[in-house]
Each structure stands twice: as structure tokens, then as C-alpha cells.
Amino acid sequence: MHTLFGTRGSGSAAAEAALALAAVEFTSVDAASWEAGPGRDELRRVNPLCQIPTLVLPDGSVLTESAAILIHLGLAHPASGLLPAGAAERAQAIRGLVYVAANCYAAIGVIDFPERWCTETDEATAKRIKAGSTQRLHYLWEVFADTFPARPFLGGPHIGALDVLAAVVSKWSGSRKHLATARPAFSALLARIESEPRVAPVFARHWPPA
Ligand SMILES: N[C@@H](CCC(=O)N[C@@H](CS)C(=O)NCC(=O)O)C(=O)O
């Protein structure tokens, strides 16, 4: 059995959606670095960075890094369509997954924890770091939208790993609001991804409608 560490409204939604698309059963441990409790203690034992998503595979090995988790699930379950079957399309999907993780997700790490990326961070400095990183994040999404065409999904005819990671990581720091006007077609794609029947319940659990 796979074990997924995560919590509501977090990046674990991407791993959860991918597990749903691959029809892989898993147990959940509610855990996050910002929530004290037994889940967090257990998470820290398997991932010293205490970040989610963290996936423990049935053989006990630990997978961190959302892109690695999704690529692994795609390779381990080729029939899921998480990764495109063709080598050229698969290469672009992997490029997209690493782009989102290395650029967009990393920027969110700075926005959420500016004090980790600066010394003696006073409130005004933290505010400036957040503002600059948010601007950069929105630009990074514009470039993503211009670089990765939807046909009609990002990996081709079917929903895949890149779709779910883009849909989850764009949930934060005003990215959706920005994209609605800056890249309306991409914004519509994100809405389509969220409403895919196997993905919609995951999004509804993580971001319950108000
Ligand atoms: N590089 C990691 C980043 C994961 C990440 O930053 N996750 C957030 C939650 S969405 C987290 O656990 N942050 C808590 C912390 O860094 O203390 C990935 O791509 O999965």
C-alpha cells in the first residue's frame, strides 16, 4: 500500500489526483510542517524537509518532490496516461513537470517563507520579497501557458500528470486571478482539468466550494 502525507489545500492534491488517475489505492496521513501533531512527526522522520507531498511506496522507499512522484506514477502505471506514450511528447511533459516544480512551486516556497531566503528579515523586507516573488510567479505562469500547448490537455488528448500539477500549483498566490485576464485560454484549461470526473472529487476535498 502507498502512504501519502499531505493536508487539505496543499500540493498533496497533485499526488492524490495522480493516484486517482492511476487507480492506485493509498492510505493518507494528515501532515504538514505548519500543523503540529503525530502526522508531522512521522512526516519529518521520512522527509527531513517536512514537505508535502511525500509518498511512501509499498516497498518502504520514500518519494518526495511532486514532479518525481508524478513521473514515477506515470512510469509505473503506463496505462494511466499520466505520461504520454510517445517519447517526444513524454519529454515535453517531463519538461513541463520540472518547470512547474523548479520555477512556480519554488517561488511559492519563497512567498510562503521569505525569512528562509534572507537574513534578519524584518516585516518590510519580507513584504518586498513576497511582492517580488509573486510578480515573478505570475510571469512564470505566463511563460508556461505560452510554452506548453493544450491539445486539448497539456500531455495530449487525455488528462495527465502535467495537467494535475499545473492545476494544483496555480491555486496559490493569486495565480489563477492573474491568469484569468493574462491567459484566459490557459485559465479555461485549468478549469477543465479541475472538473475532470476523477480529479474533481480531489479538488473538492482540498478546496471545498465556499
Ligand atoms: N519541492 C517540493 C516542494 C513541496 C512544498 O513546498 N510543499 C509545501 C506544501 S504545498 C510544504 O510542505 N511546505 C512546508 C514547508 O516548506 O515547511 C515539491 O515539488 O513537492
Side-chain angles (χ1 to χ4, degrees), residues 121-128:
T121 324
D122 55 54
E123 215 173 293
T125 307
K127 216 169 141 186
R128 282 174 39 238

Side-chain angles (χ1 to χ4, degrees), residues 111-199:
I111 294 164
D112 286 349
F113 301 100
E115 70 286 352
R116 287 182 185 170
W117 305 94
C118 188
T119 54
E120 296 152 45
T121 324
D122 55 54
E123 215 173 293
T125 307
K127 216 169 141 186
R128 282 174 39 238
I129 295 172
K130 275 173 184 260
S133 314
T134 303
Q135 233 172 53
R136 177 75 181 166
L137 172 66
H138 294 172
Y139 169 70
L140 290 165
W141 277 121
E142 288 178 16
V143 172
F144 181 91
D146 296 343
T147 305
F148 296 92
R151 295 163 288 126
F153 289 104
L154 293 167
H158 309 291
I159 193 164
L162 185 53
D163 296 291
V164 294
L165 192 63
V168 167
V169 176
S170 60
K171 282 300 244 184
W172 308 307
S173 306
S175 297
R176 289 293 185 93
K177 191 165 176 236
H178 175 79
L179 288 166
T181 47
R183 294 295 183 277
F186 181 61
S187 189
L189 165 69
L190 295 171
R192 252 193 346 268
I193 296 166
E194 274 192 23
S195 59
E196 199 275 347
R198 290 162 298 168
V199 170

Side-chain angles (χ1 to χ4, degrees), residues 9-12 33-34 49-53 64-67 101 105 109 113 116 172:
S10 79
S12 61
S33 74
W34 57 90
L49 290 182
C50 205
Q51 288 184 335
I52 47 178
T64 64
E65 311 312 320
S66 45
Y105 214 153
F113 301 100
R116 287 182 185 170
W172 308 307

